[in-house]
Amino acid sequence: MMRKSCATVTIAVLLVCAGLEAQSGAPASAPDVRTGIYDPSLDARVETLLRRMTLEEKVGQVVQYSAGQPTGPGTNRTDYEDMIAKGQIGALFNISTAKETNRYQRIAVEKSRLKIPIIFGLDVIHGFRTVFPVPLALASTWDPALVEQTARVAAREASATGIRWTFSPMVDIARDARWGRITEGAGEDPFLGSEMAAAYVRGYQGTRLDEPDSIAACAKHFVGYGAAEGGRDYNTTEISEHTLRQIYLPPFRAAVNAGAATIMSAFNSLNGVPASANPFTLRQVLREEWGFRGVVDSDWESVREVIQHGIANDRATAARKAFLAGVDMDMASSVYHDHLGQLVSSGQVPQERLDESVRNVLRLKFALGLFEHPYADEAREAQAMLRPDGVSLARTAAERSFVLLKNSPGPNSAPLLPLSNSGQRIALIGPLADDLPSALGSWAGLGRGEDVVSFQAALAKHVGEQNLIHLKGVGATGGGSDEDLAAAVAASARADVVILALGEPGGEMTGEATSRAFLGLPGRQQELLEKIVATGKPVVLVLFSGRPLTLPWAFEHVPAVLAAWLPGIQAGPALVRTLYGESSTTGKLVVSWPRSVGQEPLYYNALNTGRPADKSDLTNPPGGSDDTYVSRYIDERNDPQFPFGYGLSYTTFRYGSTEINASELKASGLTAGLHDGAARTRAVLTASADVTNTGSRPGEEIVQLYVRLNGTSVAQPVRALKGFQRILLAPGETKKVTFALVPDAFALWNDRNQWVVEQEKVTVWISPDSAHGAPATVQILP
Ligand code: NOJ
C-alpha cells in the first residue's frame, strides 16, 4: 500500500530558458488558474442547478455513451434519444457532425426537464480533419509552441461540429516500443512529456474555455498505462511510488497545472489496484494533493472491467468501487446508469459523493459555455476544415518531426542527403510511398485519405514524372509476388538513387491494441531492402512507423535513414522539402531506439545498478570477469541503436565544455525553495556551453541539459533531462547557450515519501543528446 505523502508543498517550477517553463511532479495545492473549471464564479450556478436535480437526473450527468462508430466493445444500446429526454445521459461521444450533435442536443435542451446540455466528446488526437503527424512525431519536434498550434487548429475544427471535448493529450510515459500506443504520446521522458502535455492543453482550451472554438482537454490514461508489462496493451503494471512520482505522474501534473478540464482513468491495474478504482491516485494524488476540480472520466468500460481485474464480482460492486475511488463519469459500460441510483438510495454510496461528481460535470458544462451556446453552427462547420494556415502548419510540423538517423557519404563522398536537384533518375520503392490512410496514423479523427498529399505524388511533382519510377515491390504487411519484387530491384538498378519507403503501416500496426513482439519490418520488406541495397545504388531509407523499429541490418548497410514517423496530410511535401534540403532536419528522438526487442523496456533515464556495464569495449560473448558479472546481455549490447535526444542535421555542431555558475547551494534552502512561491522560480544555478555550427549550412540545434544526482537517499537516474533550447546558427557561428535552473532541477522523491533536495553531488551536461557531452559537477551542501 502506498503511504500518504508527508509533504504539503506547492508546485515547483523549473525555468529552463526564456519563455519555457516546465512543471514538476511536486505535490501542490490547486493549480494556479482562475479560469475555465477553476473560475469561482461558476460555483453558485452549479449549486443552484444541483439543488433542483432528482437522483435520476444526477446519475444521468455521470453517464456517457458512444453513439457513433465504436472505439471499443459495443454496449448494444440504441435508445439514447429516449434516455436523453429523461435526463439519463450527460455525455455522448463518437459523433462527429454538427447535424448529429445538434439533433441530440435539441432533445437535451428542449425535451429534458432541466434542459442540461450534453457534452460531446471525441478522440481528437493529432488533428481533426487536418491531420498532423502522430503525437510521437509531434514530440520529436521538441517544439511545444508548435504542438500548441496544432492543438488549436484541431480545436477550431472539432468545435465547429459541436465537439467540445477531446480525449487528448495522451501523456503516458512509454518506455517500451512493443506497446503500440507509444505512437500516441510524447515518449519516455517526464520533463519533455510535461512540456508537451501543457502545450496540448493550452492549444485545445485556448485562452478561455467558453470561446466557441475551445474544447476541453483530457489528460490520459491516469496512470501508469504505458508501463504495461511486456509492452502488451491493457496489461498489468507494477510501479513503485518513487517511479510513479518521478516518472509517470509529472506529465499529468503539468496538464492539470495548465488547466486541463478532465482526466481519463486508465485500463491497467497499478500495483494490484485497477487504475479506474484506485483511491490513491484518483483521490489522494489528483484531488487532495493537486487540487484538481475537473471531471475524471473512465476509459471505455474500464469501470465494468474492474470485475475482470478481480476486485468485484458483480456490476454494482464495480460501480461502487470505481465511483468511491473517484471516477466521476462512466464511459460506455452502463454500470453507473444501472446501479448508482440504487447504491445511493441504499447508502452504500453517500449522496454527497454523487453531488461532488455531478458538480464536476456541471462545472465543466458551465465553463464551456454550453448552457449559453449548446448548438454547433452548421454553417461554420465546412468552412472550419482544412484551412490553409492549418494545412501549412501540418507541413511544418511534419518537417520538424523527422529525425535523421544516419547520413553517410554517398558516391561523391559528401553525405548522401540532401539529394541534389540535378535531374537524377529516382526509383521510389516500397509499399508506403502512396499509402494514404497509413500516413494518417491511428486516431486520425475525420482525416481522409484524399486529404493526404502522398510522398509519391509530391516526389513526382518535384523531380518530374519522367525521372521517377515508383514500384511497391512488396505489400506492407505481407504478400507481393517474386515478380513484383524482382521488378522493383531491376528498376532500382537502373536508377541514380533509390528511395525506399518502408516501415509499419499506420492504421493497422500502430495505436491501441497493436502491441508487437517483433519490431522488424513486416512482410517481405526486409528481403526487398536487402536485395535493393545489393544493387550497389545509393539508397535512402524513409522509415514510416509509429515507434522505433529494430533494424540493425539497415542501420549498418543503408547510407541514409530518415525516421518519418506517420507524417499526416502533408507527408509528401514535407518529405520532399526535407530530402532535397529546402528544409533541414531538426527533430530529435524522444524514445531510445532499440537494437533488439530483447532490450525493451529501454530508456535513457535508468538507474545505474550496482554492477553497471559502463565499459565501451564489452565483447559478445563476455570475455574476462570484468566483462561478465555486470548488468548486461551475453548476446547484445546494452546501449540503444540511437539514444534519446539524438538526431542529425544537414550541418554539424560542436559543443564546448559545460560551465556551472552558482553560489553556495544548500539542501535545506533548496528544499524550502520547492515549497515557496517566489523561491521556486528563482534560478539557483546557471549552466552554459558554447555551441558552434561547424558545417557549411545554417542549422537549428536542440540543445539539451541533463543532470545526475549522486549520494541521495534514493538512487536517481544516470541522467535526467531538465531543459532544452532551440538555437539557430549560421555556418561557423558560435553561441553561448545558458540554462537557469531552479530548485526543482535537483529535487527527488526521497526515502520518506517527500519532495526534497538533498545533500548530493550534481553532474550537469549540456549536450546534443542523452549519451554525449562534457560533464561539470557541483556539490549541494546539507
Ligand atoms: C479507449 C482508449 O483507451 C482511449 O484512449 C479512448 O479515448 C477511448 N477508448 C475512447 O475512444
Side-chain angles (χ1 to χ4, degrees), residues 71 93 123 167 181 220-221 264 267 299-300 331 443 512:
T71 44
F93 69 114
D123 290 283
F167 308 130
R181 303 198 78 170
K220 68 187 188 185
H221 307 83
M264 185 183 291
F267 285 130
D299 202 341
W300 183 290
M331 178 191 281
W443 298 116
E512 188 176 347

Side-chain angles (χ1 to χ4, degrees), residues 1-4 239-241 244 270-271 280 284 753:
M1 187 65 192
M2 288 170 170
R3 274 181 291 150
K4 193 171 167 86
I239 307 173
S240 70
E241 179 161 4
L244 194 66
L270 172 65
N271 304 330
F280 169 70
Q284 183 186 316
N753 283 352

